[in-house]
Amino acid sequence: MVFTGANLGLTLVATVLVVYFAPTAAGPGIPEIKAYLNGIDTPNMFGFTTMMVKIVGSIGAVAAGLDLGKEGPLVHIGSCIASLLGQGGPDNHRIKWRWLRYFNNDRDRRDLITCGSASGVCAAFRSPVGGVLFALEEVATWWRSALLWRTFFSTAVVVVVLRAFIEICNSGKCGLFGSGGLIMFDVSHVEVRYHAADIIPVTLIGVFGGILGSLYNHLLHKVLRLYNLINQKGKIHKVLLSLGVSLFTSVCLFGLPFLAECKPCDPSIDEICPTNGRSGNFKQFNCPNGYYNDLSTLLLTTNDDAVRNIFSSNTPNEFGMVSLWIFFGLYCILGLITFGIATPSGLFLPIILMGSAYGRMLGTAMGSYTNIDQGLYAVLGAASLMAGSMRMTVSLCVIFLELTNNLLLLPITMFVLLIAKTVGDSFNLSIYEIILHLKGLPFLEANPEPWMRNLTVGELNDAKPPVVTLNGVEKVANIVDVLRNTTHNAFPVLDGADQNTGTELHGLILRAHLVKVLKKRWFLNEKRRTEEWEVREKFTPVELAEREDNFDDVAITSSEMQLYVDLHPLTNTTPYTVVQSMSVAKALVLFRSVGLRHLLVVPKIQASGMSPVIGILTRQDLRAYNILQAFPHLDKHKSGKAR
Amino acid sequence: MVFTGANLGLTLVATVLVVYFAPTAAGPGIPEIKAYLNGIDTPNMFGFTTMMVKIVGSIGAVAAGLDLGKEGPLVHIGSCIASLLGQGGPDNHRIKWRWLRYFNNDRDRRDLITCGSASGVCAAFRSPVGGVLFALEEVATWWRSALLWRTFFSTAVVVVVLRAFIEICNSGKCGLFGSGGLIMFDVSHVEVRYHAADIIPVTLIGVFGGILGSLYNHLLHKVLRLYNLINQKGKIHKVLLSLGVSLFTSVCLFGLPFLAECKPCDPSIDEICPTNGRSGNFKQFNCPNGYYNDLSTLLLTTNDDAVRNIFSSNTPNEFGMVSLWIFFGLYCILGLITFGIATPSGLFLPIILMGSAYGRMLGTAMGSYTNIDQGLYAVLGAASLMAGSMRMTVSLCVIFLELTNNLLLLPITMFVLLIAKTVGDSFNLSIYEIILHLKGLPFLEANPEPWMRNLTVGELNDAKPPVVTLNGVEKVANIVDVLRNTTHNAFPVLDGADQNTGTELHGLILRAHLVKVLKKRWFLNEKRRTEEWEVREKFTPVELAEREDNFDDVAITSSEMQLYVDLHPLTNTTPYTVVQSMSVAKALVLFRSVGLRHLLVVPKIQASGMSPVIGILTRQDLRAYNILQAFPHLDKHKSGKAR
């Protein structure tokens, strides 16, 4: 009762915080960070409130014994800290230091957030290189050599801080923190011996990992869609769902160990057996002295300790097959139903627990056929399920190396990861991509689809409403009209539309700058071009770099409506353009490689009387999914590639 | 005499092979691979002859006891194998399998060569993850997620093969191969203890590494320029230079140990002491039984063993200060004079030897002040000098982790690497960049220089000779004329130049395609547009993907000169264009991000009577160095940044 009650209370705190104060703090946050680094701004993702809720909520959810990890939340928290540092504090209390201006552009903000996410992984797994590689392989979209060593620097700082805390905590006053030192799940004392015959079980683990991982992705997708329906019903439903999952978890964790048989302690093992009242292997639970309950060793402990116990090596008979099956089944169910609830939740640890269970089962089933320790089988199982679900390779490999400190296991780990990833890729997308799709975030993939070569940007543009253009010197009324009636973020500026010499493209103006002009009331009485110093006097570079576009609080009087604005000085005169006959595939490569937000389509032949710009393409226009909505005949493989 | 003679013979073989058969096999090859992946084709770099010479020459040079490593050559050999596999064999005996067509484009060839270089590093250091990261951080210019796991896959295969050989060699029949297992310089049995006070020596190592590394780069640059002068005098001079270096090396290696004192064997150490006739620590050399010569332990052995010996831990008094100084001084000299000779040579091992020497000296000098073992000091010294000279971080960190198998050393290694890189960067460029500059390879950096924002591509274009254009349907004589008198690789194709309606830009045609047209004699009697099927009949996609542009063997008769060619079907109708008012910085970002070879400059205003294209920019035009030649006033920091 106390156990269940405490868990329910902690879950309630975590859920209420998330539901009522920061809904964006739910889940791992990694897909949203991935989307942000791809160029998609999710509102309220990196705010101060989100961060605080994520910290407290994650502590609550992990402490409540729910089957979720702290890795995803730590990545998100790292990114929040990076973002807040970069902008000089929370939204309402920003410090406006001069040097903070350097971060006032998209690229540096992206870099900071990449460093933050790498630090998060590093803090979660005490794995500095793994953190850098995770940020590189999974999170970041654009990568530069400079960014590589910046992330490396931030993870180095994290390690130094961690190490300092571990040194301070050496006296044992910090509870469980630092007990593992810098290596969380050390299996370095096992001798790794393997021969050609071991290739069969190792391949099996990889194949299982791929199949189970993609199955997990598939089922989790279904569960998340179901949860979305429940969550739409209201905030109270979200809270009740969380509490239900917590109740189920607590009952299973406490009740299931009674099903396991008591096993006698093996006197040949050095460890204390049975253990009570502290973390460790061989929990006594309901058994007599000299005996331990193997299932309670795995269930009635922290998730980290459960991993440590199931990875424990040189203990071939510690866990019975029945207990492992119960553990595996339970964590499969928990892994599916827990992730979607409205608390901060990470995916790594649930997957590690599931994977290590079937890895250890396979190792136990192999018996004397294999030379590899059961504990190492558990490590390989965890790695294979991670690769099967998340489809990472290099970063997982390094993370597992840094978690387990066993370099000789590396070749087998690589082998398992590659098999699991390949098998998984042949079924469905990675779990983060599935979540991205589910959230409807317009993520741009690196490579265009093959059918995009058969469509020109001109054809794509014809399926859109006609482009809204502005004149170089425009009437205030027109600007207000355009801002009110469209949601576009940029408008082509044309010159000479009212003369007979033919129009020409002057450039592209941002919505944010139009709003800024109206707010500052930078109006002219007559239609004339302004001088550069007039602009410099009125707008500072910092103001122009800001991206606020809240137009509602600007009141323009009707007399002002008749005035003019010279848009020339605020226009980007060299926007990227493509001719209408370019294929969508080629335009997408340009869009994604350079990291654009708008791409102007110009006609092949510039005849007089024709508009010099025939359209403007944005991220949404270039998404494969959206193109297929407008041109369904293009996708010949649609039936084959069910999503 | 025998020692010197054998070394001279081996050096002679290596040098003669390189000088007379494959001059491109000299040096490490890494800068050229880096340039190739940046888009610069160096002739004869990945041929079969080059590979064979590199293999035999590298064996000869390393066996000759020269102060050079096998890592650079292995990277180059890996890339050669990748390139040959991708094109189906050596140039003259290619297998024309259907699936080889898939590699017949620049991107896949680049990917293959990246995989090859990663495999090379993996084979050299038995470091699969380090190899992937080396390819990522140092070699590759463009990076995609797919490439990451392809390189990972190739290094995994390398490890599996290595491991299989090690298993086969377990019986000891393979000589020195496989003696270290998969970990070359294992220091995992040392307990790593460090406290806050150790930050001072560790920082010192980092700072020394940065200063010495940049000093090494600076001096090596001077030496290489001197060697260039010598090498220009003729082939025989190259051979004599190599032999001189070999003679000096042999004499020093054999003579200097006589300067060292004999030290008594420490009975508390398990290892055999003194050792003779085999690789190992504590060489006896000229000493009585029970004594060893510490300098001969370092000098009279293979380079790999020297590293292993100087990394040896729990032997605080093994090496005397004088011996270490002699060793350090000798390898500084050898490292400078050996690298530039005409043999395959790697930079890693010489730098590791130099770095480990001063690391160990510092460790010995610290005495009881520090908790860190002298062997670990040597490791840190090696890492710091590598970072100070090569300026890599993550990849070096992982390579050292995989070389030494000591995860607890990782935080200190990261710290040292970052300090050394930062200190080194404040002095000069990395060694590979210096070599790139020296070889005059037009490498494009990822980031534009700040002053590039103040120059438009129009201004840049005005400093060039006017662009050569072709008509859509062009006379053969004109094409021949253009091919003979220019070396451009692409020409804009204009339509309607002879009509009054105004010209328009049809696209860009490649020199290779013009040559192909002339070779195939695809001429028309009258000026007309062709149909698509006529082209398909004449040219296969494979032919069009080939890049041969040898125009000399095409003989055109004078009657053929009067015929016409329709260039339209062979023209790329959607080349990337920029307006003339775009800044060079922005154009460079586009050029480099998308990986272009030609960028068309179009006028801001397209008036009739004006050419629709005003210029064409290539890699050479966008290089900072070349721009500064034409616009010297732009570089305000020139005096500050001496190169």
Side-chain angles (χ1 to χ4, degrees), chain A residues 387-401:
Chain A
S389 172
M390 299 187 173
R391 313 290 157 75
M392 296 183 282
T393 49
V394 191
S395 47
L396 278 182
C397 191
V398 175
I399 289 177
F400 269 90
L401 175 63

Side-chain angles (χ1 to χ4, degrees), chain A residues 233-390:
Chain A
K233 287 191 182 163
K235 292 181 173 177
I236 196 72
H237 283 85
K238 288 190 186 181
V239 177
L240 287 177
L241 184 64
S242 295
L243 291 180
V245 169
S246 172
L247 193 67
F248 177 77
T249 308
S250 303
V251 168
C252 288
L253 290 184
F254 199 84
L256 287 175
F258 286 103
L259 297 178
E261 282 175 27
C262 288
K263 302 186 80 171
C265 289
D266 184 348
S268 66
I269 291 169
D270 290 344
E271 283 181 80
I272 301 162
C273 172
T275 52
N276 280 313
R278 50 176 283 276
S279 72
N281 234 331
F282 306 111
K283 285 251 186 297
Q284 185 170 8
F285 196 54
N286 59 340
C287 295
N289 281 339
Y291 287 80
Y292 69 96
N293 184 318
D294 57 349
L295 196 51
S296 76
T297 300
L298 296 176
L299 295 183
L300 284 173
T301 180
T302 64
N303 288 340
D304 279 7
D305 267 329
V307 175
R308 223 167 271 145
N309 292 342
I310 203 164
F311 281 3
S312 65
S313 41
N314 298 323
T315 53
N317 301 312
E318 179 178 356
F319 302 106
M321 216 45 173
V322 177
S323 299
L324 285 174
W325 268 112
I326 295 174
F327 179 74
F328 179 62
L330 174 65
Y331 271 86
C332 283
I333 297 168
L334 290 182
L336 286 171
I337 64 169
T338 312
F339 179 72
I341 63 172
T343 55
S345 58
L347 266 175
F348 281 69
L349 216 62
I351 293 180
I352 290 180
L353 284 170
M354 259 188 281
S356 55
Y358 82 76
R360 185 125 196 157
M361 284 198 284
L362 193 74
T364 309
M366 284 288 150
S368 62
Y369 174 79
T370 180
N371 298 304
I372 306 175
D373 193 275
Q374 274 77 7
L376 300 185
Y377 269 101
V379 173
L380 293 176
S384 73
L385 195 61
M386 292 276 269
S389 172
M390 299 187 173

Side-chain angles (χ1 to χ4, degrees), chain A residues 532-546:
Chain A
E532 207 180 319
W533 57 264
E534 296 182 69
V535 192
R536 289 227 185 111
E537 225 167 45
K538 199 77 183 176
F539 301 98
T540 66
V542 176
E543 284 177 335
L544 290 178
E546 280 171 17

Side-chain angles (χ1 to χ4, degrees), chain A residues 202-218 358 380-391 416-429:
Chain A
V202 166
T203 311
L204 264 183
I205 289 187
V207 173
F208 276 148
I211 294 172
L212 288 176
S214 52
L215 191 68
Y216 178 74
N217 289 1
H218 181 73
Y358 82 76
L380 293 176
S384 73
L385 195 61
M386 292 276 269
S389 172
M390 299 187 173
R391 313 290 157 75
V416 163
L417 287 176
L418 283 168
I419 293 176
K421 182 194 157 68
T422 313
V423 171
D425 274 343
S426 61
F427 289 111
N428 53 20
L429 294 173

Side-chain angles (χ1 to χ4, degrees), chain A residues 40 51 93 142 174 242 255 362 400 451 520 528 587:
Chain A
I40 307 156
M51 186 181 74
H93 307 91
W142 292 282
C174 314
S242 295
L362 193 74
F400 269 90
W451 49 258
K520 288 243 176 183
R528 67 166 175 92

Side-chain angles (χ1 to χ4, degrees), chain B residues 317-343:
Chain B
N317 301 313
E318 178 177 356
F319 301 106
M321 217 44 175
V322 176
S323 300
L324 285 174
W325 268 111
I326 295 174
F327 178 75
F328 179 62
L330 173 65
Y331 271 87
C332 283
I333 297 167
L334 290 181
L336 285 172
I337 64 170
T338 313
F339 179 73
I341 62 173
T343 55

Side-chain angles (χ1 to χ4, degrees), chain B residues 361-489:
Chain B
M361 283 198 284
L362 192 74
T364 310
M366 283 290 148
S368 61
Y369 174 79
T370 179
N371 298 303
I372 306 175
D373 192 275
Q374 273 77 8
L376 299 185
Y377 269 101
V379 174
L380 292 176
S384 73
L385 196 61
M386 292 276 269
S389 172
M390 299 186 174
R391 314 288 157 78
M392 295 184 283
T393 49
V394 192
S395 47
L396 279 182
C397 191
V398 175
I399 289 176
F400 270 90
L401 175 64
E402 293 185 312
L403 280 177
T404 59
N405 189 18
N406 197 324
L407 190 57
L408 289 172
L409 197 62
L410 185 68
I412 321 184
T413 315
M414 292 175 81
F415 192 68
V416 164
L417 287 175
L418 283 168
I419 293 177
K421 181 193 158 70
T422 312
V423 171
D425 273 344
S426 62
F427 289 112
N428 53 19
L429 294 174
S430 85
I431 186 72
Y432 290 130
E433 283 173 297
I434 288 176
I435 298 174
L436 275 175
H437 277 281
L438 206 64
K439 299 214 172 200
L441 295 171
F443 192 83
L444 273 192
E445 296 298 333
N447 295 323
E449 307 276 343
W451 48 260
M452 286 185 183
R453 275 182 238 144
N454 306 326
L455 185 74
T456 68
V457 288
E459 288 161 7
L460 183 63
N461 190 63
D462 289 344
K464 292 182 62 180
V467 62
V468 179
T469 60
L470 293 172
N471 286 318
V473 182
E474 187 59 272
K475 239 183 164 174
V476 173
N478 285 349
I479 296 177
V480 171
D481 191 46
V482 159
L483 288 179
R484 284 230 174 94
N485 296 326
T486 70
T487 55
H488 303 174
N489 278 314

Side-chain angles (χ1 to χ4, degrees), chain B residues 508-510 513 517 522 535 539 544 566-572:
Chain B
L508 195 70
I509 193 161
L510 294 177
H513 289 175
V517 161
W522 191 55
V535 192
F539 301 98
L544 290 178
D566 180 14
L567 300 178
H568 289 100
L570 295 172
T571 303
N572 166 12

